[in-house]
Amino acid sequence: MASIFTKIINGEIPCYKIAETEDFFAFLDINPNAKGHTLCIPKQEVDKLFDLDEATYNGLMQFSRRVAKAIEKAVPCNRVGLTVIGLEVPHAHVHLIPLNNMEDSRFIKKETLSPEEFQEIANAIQANF
Ligand code: 5GP
C-alpha cells in the first residue's frame, strides 16, 4: 500500500507544497514544531533513510540543503535544523525546522497555524527556492 507521503506526492492527499524536482518533494509538516517546519522526501518509497541507495540519499541531502536555504530566507530564525526520525511515517524523510531555541528542536511543543498561515509560509519559502 502506498505511504501517506506517496499519496501526497500523487496529489491524493492535500499538502502545502514547497518544492518538487524529478526525484524529490518538499512540503510543510502538518503538525509543526515551529513555523516553516518542512519535510523533504524522495519520491521513491523506501522506509528508512539509511536504506536509500547512495545516489538518492545524496540527492535528498542536496535537495534538503536548497530547501533549508529557502527557509532561512523566508522564516526569521537563528538557523535551520535537520532531524531524521521516521517512527510515524515509513517513507524516508528529513525534517527541516527553523530553530530559535532548543525547544524548537524537540517534538513536544507544537505550533498551531491557520490554513492561511500555512499557505502564507509555504508561498514565502517557495518564492525563495
Ligand atoms: P516521523 O515519521 O519523522 O516520526 O514523523 C512524521 C511527520 O510527518 C510528523 O512530524 C507529522 O506531523 C508529519 N505528518 C504525518 N502525516 C502527515 C500528513 O498527512 N501531512 C503532512 N503535511 N505531514 C504529516
Side-chain angles (χ1 to χ4, degrees), residues 39-68:
L39 300 174
C40 296
I41 63 177
K43 290 185 178 175
Q44 186 191 358
E45 194 180 313
V46 170
D47 178 359
K48 298 178 190 171
L49 182 85
F50 298 120
D51 286 342
L52 290 171
D53 64 78
E54 201 171 317
T56 307
Y57 176 85
N58 289 337
L60 178 62
M61 288 304 147
Q62 279 176 16
F63 178 73
S64 300
R65 182 168 181 259
R66 255 189 91 187
V67 174

Side-chain angles (χ1 to χ4, degrees), residues 4-5 8 27-31 85-89 93 95:
I4 195 158
F5 288 171
I8 286 176
F27 56 103
L28 292 181
D29 193 300
I30 206 65
N31 190 20
I85 301 180
L87 289 172
E88 186 186 328
V89 179
H93 55 279
H95 294 259

Side-chain angles (χ1 to χ4, degrees), residues 3 8 15 42 49 58 62 64 75 80 87 94 101 108 113 115 119 123:
S3 76
I8 286 176
C15 75
L49 182 85
N58 289 337
Q62 279 176 16
S64 300
V75 183
V80 174
L87 289 172
V94 162
N101 52 62
I108 297 168
L113 302 177
Q119 193 58 63
N123 292 347

